[in-house]
Amino acid sequence: MAKDGTNRGGRRVRAGDKPKPLADKIPLGKAAKVLEVPDLHPESMLEADELKDVADLNGEDMPEPSEYLSTRQKDGRPLGADALFKETWRWLKDRGCEKFVNPRLIEAYAQAFTRYIQCEEAISTYGLLGKHPTTGGAIASPFVQMSQSFQKQANLIWYEIFDIVKQNCTTAFTGNPQDDIMEALLSGRKGRYNV
């Protein structure tokens, strides 16, 4: 610490080797901390014969996406982020990491990426130039800047989700839901996400 009370020098933040994924540490025999999620429904000591008039309850693997992910847009079509939420949740469940990721984070990712797709569709429809509201001159389309903003937001949230998977997945993982979405976007298949 310097005389003026400020910390100076020392190791820079995020400097050095990046942490290896958990799936890579385990086969190498390196020290690895595996997060254990406590069982929220421990085994009951009751026998089936002891239960009377029991309701037939169905288990629910996936939380229902919030309603705002499928609300109707101004053009009358649903937003379609609920489909992306479900696909991302299934991808996390296949890797056993759905318990580590807050559903609100998945919802934020799904909405940001769907908004990005909407902006790209608007750019395709209206072009890269727009008309200035007062002078009538040509200006850059506002959808371009919005698209970049939503893409950056979606990528930052995705990196956060993917980092959780990378640090907690005990098996090697392949496949990325983003690849499927980008493929659909680039190939022009609009029907899959209804955006």
Side-chain angles (χ1 to χ4, degrees), residues 92-166:
L92 288 167
K93 182 139 179 85
D94 290 345
R95 282 139 192 89
C97 295
E98 79 282 359
K99 297 173 187 170
F100 302 121
V101 180
N102 188 334
R104 295 288 178 215
L105 188 63
I106 303 170
E107 287 179 354
Y109 165 71
Q111 184 181 26
F113 201 90
T114 307
R115 293 289 185 202
Y116 162 69
I117 293 172
Q118 277 185 327
C119 289
E120 289 299 316
E121 286 179 351
I123 292 169
S124 297
T125 303
Y126 302 115
L128 294 171
L129 294 177
K131 187 175 179 182
H132 193 276
T134 56
T135 64
I139 60 170
S141 171
F143 293 114
V144 174
Q145 186 176 3
M146 286 190 293
S147 171
Q148 292 169 347
S149 176
F150 283 123
Q151 183 182 31
K152 182 177 181 181
Q153 182 181 3
N155 282 337
L156 287 174
I157 297 170
W158 176 253
Y159 293 145
E160 190 175 339
I161 293 170
F162 196 76
D163 191 50
I164 293 169
V165 173
K166 185 173 96 172

Side-chain angles (χ1 to χ4, degrees), residues 2-128:
K3 289 182 183 178
D4 63 355
T6 58
N7 289 323
R8 296 187 191 156
R11 185 172 182 260
R12 289 189 322 256
V13 177
R14 300 181 69 68
D17 294 336
K18 303 298 179 237
K20 290 189 174 189
L22 184 62
D24 292 346
K25 288 181 185 178
I26 292 173
L28 296 174
K30 296 196 177 196
K33 184 175 182 181
V34 179
L35 291 177
E36 295 293 331
V37 180
D39 188 10
L40 300 177
H41 307 287
E43 293 294 322
S44 173
M45 300 304 283
L46 291 174
E47 295 294 326
D49 299 341
E50 299 173 25
L51 301 174
K52 296 178 183 170
D53 299 327
V54 179
D56 186 19
L57 301 176
N58 295 326
E60 188 172 332
D61 286 346
M62 181 186 313
E64 279 299 315
S66 296
E67 286 186 33
Y68 72 92
L69 295 177
S70 60
T71 56
R72 296 245 171 252
Q73 303 301 294
K74 198 169 186 176
D75 63 359
R77 296 184 299 178
L79 178 60
D82 55 336
L84 182 54
F85 174 88
K86 291 174 184 176
E87 184 175 338
T88 306
W89 182 268
R90 279 189 220 102
W91 186 83
L92 288 167
K93 182 139 179 85
D94 290 345
R95 282 139 192 89
C97 295
E98 79 282 359
K99 297 173 187 170
F100 302 121
V101 180
N102 188 334
R104 295 288 178 215
L105 188 63
I106 303 170
E107 287 179 354
Y109 165 71
Q111 184 181 26
F113 201 90
T114 307
R115 293 289 185 202
Y116 162 69
I117 293 172
Q118 277 185 327
C119 289
E120 289 299 316
E121 286 179 351
I123 292 169
S124 297
T125 303
Y126 302 115
L128 294 171

